[in-house]
């Protein structure tokens, strides 16, 4: 994988100690096949913290040589891992969960420092990892198949599920560790092996995870190659085009998702695609405005608007439109923006300066299309904002058909608009290419049920009286339309990581054919 040369930052929020605890304060070999490291011979990527602009570390990336080595190790490991009873695989995942509990604080701080989300959100992301481990442990004893009645006498039919092989996981910067765990922990109990290609913007979080899980695998004599890590953007293309990897789970933009889907489909592979979101909250005249403010503000500014489930649009009933805007203005005026490791701050930085440029361009496009800025957007500078990545959460009055509103901008920009009746509100909500998360705030039972019915939200996630972000791991996560249609995490999403097999056993002494066909010889 890679070698990470770590320059310890001098700030005072415990990052130095966190890096030491996670094993990323010394040279790390950047390609891992599970319990050991091999040196990468690809190029070098640098990880800068958007919190203060400082260089955290340099990581040598994998070349094709290391990639082939890791895939070969994975193929060999799969032959052994698939034969380990699922409950035993679950026990190893349980131990991984215990290790994550030990390292929750330092890993959460590293997520916050390298990615830029608030420390509370960083800790919450690690908690998601712990939760999915717990879920996967239970799942390891629940990989059920159905038994069916056969039309032929003395025949038994049933279905069972077998592991696929190597699962390729390509994750994004905004959730640098959680999305990997959603996929890998379930894939592991299913009997698959995993290769993880993390975002090149947050490689150190991935190194830390590998350092946490490696001792668990080593203690349990798990073969090399069961859970591997490869850093470097070229790795993604190698994975997408590799027939040795039957499943690719990709999290990222719709634009790149189209390329991934095409490459994987070309070789008849499977893909789980978690792509863009353009999520809306409908605010009924029968809503509790205190609840609306909490859900909308956190949804719009949490992770600095860099969640795929971030609230992008607020669709407000015309009778309470101005009142809602007044309440939002007051709430936005109280937001504290600054170093994400400082618990007093609500909003951290965007991931990098390109994201800042995208934010500024989106605001200008909205203005050019006739948008009215309610809360100004700006970039902060000076002491405490040296990275140049801190921006002010912005609110813009807009129309749903604006070109910029139809797009997903990964930044804290909230577009507000009004509606006359629930049918119009649902039409506006559904009137974008994306279909990830949606929400309605109302006390009216008929509005709730209509929103959740086949006539309502067309998204993969539809909530009532909670916001668009903050999905729990117990439910399958994913969306429709240009969001990709994939599902990860809870519910029965484990089936995506396995292959279904239908079995028929004839325990009689005759050989009757199906459909009553006669074939005498």
């Amino acid at each position: 994988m890679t070698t990470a040369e770590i320059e310890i930052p001098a700030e005072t929020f415990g990052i130095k100690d966190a890096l030491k605890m996670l094993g990323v304060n010394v040279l790390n070999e950047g390609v891992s096949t599970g319990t050991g490291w091999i040196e990468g011979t690809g190029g070098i990527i640098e990880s800068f913290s958007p919190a203060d602009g400082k260089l955290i570390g340099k990581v040598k990336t994998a070349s094709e040589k290391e990639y082939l080595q890791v895939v070969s190790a994975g193929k060999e490991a799969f032959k052994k891992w698939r034969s380990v009873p699922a409950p035993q695989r679950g026990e190893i995942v349980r131990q991984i969960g215990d290790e994550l509990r030990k390292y929750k604080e330092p890993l959460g701080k590293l997520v916050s420092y390298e990615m830029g989300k608030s420390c509370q959100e960083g800790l919450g992301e690690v908690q998601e990892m712990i939760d999915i481990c717990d879920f996967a442990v239970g799942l390891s004893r629940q990989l059920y198949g159905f038994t069916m009645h056969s039309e032929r006498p003395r025949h038994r039919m049933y279905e069972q599920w077998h592991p696929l092989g190597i699962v390729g996981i390509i994750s994004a910067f905004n959730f640098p560790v959680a999305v990997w765990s959603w996929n890998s922990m379930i894939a592991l109990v299913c009997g698959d092996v995993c290769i993880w290609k993390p975002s090149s913007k947050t490689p150190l979080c991935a190194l830390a995870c590998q350092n946490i899980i490696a001792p668990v695998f080593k203690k349990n004599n798990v073969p090399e190659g069961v859970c591997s890590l490869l850093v470097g953007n070229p790795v993604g293309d190698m994975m997408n085009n590799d027939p040795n990897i039957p499943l690719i789970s990709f999290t990222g933009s719709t634009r790149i998702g189209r390329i991934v889907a095409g490459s994987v489909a070309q070789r008849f592979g499977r893909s789980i695609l978690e792509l863009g979101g353009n999520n809306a909250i409908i605010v009924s005249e029968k809503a509790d405005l205190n609840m609306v403010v909490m859900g909308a503000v956190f949804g719009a500014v949490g992770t600095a608007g860099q969640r795929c489930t971030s609230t992008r649009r607020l669709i407000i009933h015309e009778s309470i439109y101005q009142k809602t805007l007044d309440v939002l203005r007051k709430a936005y005026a109280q937001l504290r923006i600054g170093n994400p490791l400082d618990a007093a701050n609500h909003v951290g930085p965007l991931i990098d300066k390109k994201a800042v440029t995208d934010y500024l361009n989106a605001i200008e496009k909205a203005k050019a299309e006739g948008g009215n800025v309610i809360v100004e957007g700006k970039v902060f500078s000076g002491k405490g904002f040296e990275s140049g990545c801190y921006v002010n959460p912005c609110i813009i009055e807009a129309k749903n058909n604006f070109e910029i509103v139809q797009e997903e901008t990964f930044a804290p920009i909230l577009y507000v608009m009004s509606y006359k009746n629930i049918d119009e509100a649902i039409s506006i909500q559904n009137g974008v290419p994306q279909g990830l998360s949606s929400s309605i705030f109302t006390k009216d039972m008929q509005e709730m049920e209509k929103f959740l019915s086949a006539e309502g939200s067309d998204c993969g996630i539809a909530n009532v009286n909670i916001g668009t972000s903050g999905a729990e791991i117990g439910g399958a996560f994913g969306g429709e339309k240009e969001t990709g249609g994939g599902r990860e995490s809870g519910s029965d999403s484990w089936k995506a990581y396995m292959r279904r097999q239908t079995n028929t056993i004839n325990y009689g002494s005759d050989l009757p054919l199906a459909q009553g066909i006669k074939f005498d010889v």
Side-chain angles (χ1 to χ4, degrees):
M1 174 165 130
T2 92
T3 299
E5 301 172 6
I6 307 302
E7 177 181 302
I8 304 298
E11 50 70 45
T12 59
F13 292 99
I15 285 296
K16 183 175 181 179
D17 291 338
L19 289 168
K20 284 184 177 180
M21 290 180 67
L22 295 167
V24 291
N25 61 319
V26 295
L27 292 180
N28 288 277
E29 302 303 337
V31 175
S32 174
T33 54
T35 60
W37 298 88
I38 54 178
E39 185 174 356
T41 58
I44 293 177
I45 58 175
E46 297 177 324
S47 177
F48 291 89
S49 170
D52 55 20
K54 293 181 180 179
L55 175 67
I56 314 173
K58 299 178 182 180
V59 182
K60 290 182 181 177
T61 63
S63 68
E64 185 178 9
K65 174 186 174 183
E66 290 84 56
Y67 174 80
L68 294 174
Q69 186 175 346
V70 166
V71 171
S72 177
K75 291 171 67 177
E76 289 303 309
F78 176 61
K79 295 176 183 177
K80 298 177 182 178
W81 185 246
R82 66 186 175 186
S83 298
V84 175
Q88 291 184 25
R89 298 193 296 253
E91 165 57 21
I92 293 170
V93 169
R94 185 195 66 78
Q95 294 175 34
I96 291 174
D98 284 347
E99 288 302 297
L100 289 169
R101 285 178 171 87
K102 293 178 186 177
Y103 291 99
K104 178 178 176 178
E105 183 175 355
L107 182 56
K109 284 184 175 180
L110 178 58
V111 168
S112 177
Y113 187 64
E114 189 174 31
M115 183 268 150
K117 64 177 61 177
S118 74
C119 195
Q120 283 299 311
E121 292 182 75
L123 293 171
E125 182 168 347
V126 181
Q127 186 61 50
E128 283 192 42
M129 302 174 76
I130 295 167
D131 293 343
I132 200 65
C133 286
D134 290 348
F135 180 91
V137 173
L139 177 63
S140 68
R141 295 179 183 271
Q142 295 177 308
L143 302 174
Y144 299 137
F146 289 112
T147 297
M148 290 79 72
H149 288 280
S150 173
E151 66 186 56
R152 290 166 285 185
R154 297 182 179 85
H155 282 60
R156 181 166 71 89
M157 292 178 63
Y158 68 97
E159 67 178 22
Q160 58 181 334
W161 296 82
H162 296 303
L164 286 173
I166 299 176
V167 171
I169 304 165
I170 303 175
S171 61
F173 74 86
N174 59 331
F175 280 85
V177 294
V179 171
W180 163 72
S181 69
W182 293 355
N183 288 274
S184 60
M185 296 306 123
I186 290 182
L188 287 173
V189 299
C190 288
D192 298 311
V193 301
C194 302
I195 297 177
W196 179 20
K197 186 266 168 194
S199 169
S200 293
K201 296 179 181 181
T202 52
L204 300 184
C205 289
L207 294 177
C209 289
Q210 204 72 8
N211 285 338
I212 290 171
I213 67 175
V216 175
F217 289 139
K218 188 172 184 179
K219 180 176 66 174
N220 287 277
N221 298 313
V222 173
E224 285 279 355
V226 163
C227 205
S228 302
L229 172 65
L230 288 163
V231 174
N233 287 335
V235 170
D237 287 337
M238 296 180 204
M239 292 169 66
N240 295 332
N241 292 287
D242 192 343
N244 292 300
I245 303 180
L247 173 64
I248 294 290
S249 177
F250 172 80
T251 302
S253 70
T254 298
R255 181 180 67 84
I256 300 299
R258 283 194 176 94
I259 298 171
V260 173
S263 298
V264 176
Q266 187 72 25
R267 60 178 177 82
F268 295 102
R270 303 186 191 182
S271 58
I272 298 173
L273 301 174
E274 298 292 353
L275 311 176
N278 195 345
N279 317 293
I281 294 176
I282 296 172
V283 182
S284 166
E285 74 271 31
K286 299 164 187 175
D288 182 326
L289 276 187
N290 291 326
M291 294 174 67
V292 169
V293 170
M294 176 67 74
V297 175
F298 177 75
V301 309
T303 320
Q306 297 172 115
R307 293 185 178 216
C308 51
T309 55
S310 290
T311 305
R312 311 277 175 211
R313 297 171 296 142
L314 201 61
I315 307 164
I316 308 166
H317 191 272
E318 61 183 8
S319 67
I320 58 166
Y321 183 74
Q322 287 301 327
K323 181 179 180 181
T324 303
L325 290 189
D326 291 342
V327 173
L328 283 174
R329 282 194 193 94
K330 291 179 182 178
Y332 268 56
Q334 297 175 45
L335 291 174
R336 293 185 295 273
I337 300 157
N339 192 308
L341 291 162
D342 186 341
N345 293 324
H346 298 110
V347 185
L350 294 175
I351 186 64
D352 54 26
K353 290 184 178 179
K354 179 185 180 303
V356 174
T357 299
D358 291 343
Y359 158 86
L360 293 173
N361 288 342
I363 294 172
E364 291 307 310
K365 287 180 181 178
K367 289 179 180 178
E369 291 188 73
N372 177 37
V373 177
I374 301 298
V375 176
E376 289 287 346
K378 64 178 180 178
V379 181
F380 293 94
S381 60
K383 186 176 181 181
F385 305 113
E386 290 84 358
S387 69
C389 296
Y390 291 87
V391 302
N392 196 55
C394 177
I395 301 178
I396 302 176
E397 283 187 300
K399 300 294 185 182
N400 201 58
N401 61 0
F402 285 5
E403 184 177 341
I404 190 62
V405 175
Q406 292 286 306
E407 300 173 4
E408 178 190 44
T409 302
F410 243 40
I413 301 174
L414 180 64
Y415 301 109
V416 295
M417 55 202 73
S418 65
Y419 74 92
K420 296 180 183 297
N421 57 60
I422 187 63
D423 290 327
E424 181 187 9
I426 292 172
S427 178
I428 294 171
Q429 140 67 38
N430 293 343
V432 293
Q434 309 84 359
L436 179 53
S437 187
S438 58
S439 171
I440 186 171
F441 278 81
T442 182
K443 296 179 182 178
D444 186 290
M445 184 65 71
Q446 289 183 327
E447 289 184 335
M448 293 180 191
E449 292 297 333
K450 184 160 192 175
F451 180 74
L452 299 177
S453 74
E455 303 171 24
S457 170
D458 63 2
C459 294
I461 299 169
N463 299 326
V464 175
N465 292 330
I466 62 172
T468 60
S469 62
E472 297 183 33
I473 59 91
F477 179 87
E480 301 297 329
K481 301 190 292 188
E482 288 190 2
T483 300
R487 294 297 186 273
E488 298 171 324
S489 189
S491 186
D492 66 347
S493 61
W494 60 270
K495 293 180 179 178
Y497 303 87
M498 305 193 82
R499 58 182 177 88
R500 185 197 306 256
Q501 185 180 79
T502 300
N503 307 115
T504 305
I505 298 172
N506 179 359
Y507 59 91
S509 55
D510 298 319
L511 187 61
L513 301 179
Q515 295 88 45
I517 294 173
K518 301 296 182 182
F519 186 75
D520 297 323
V521 293

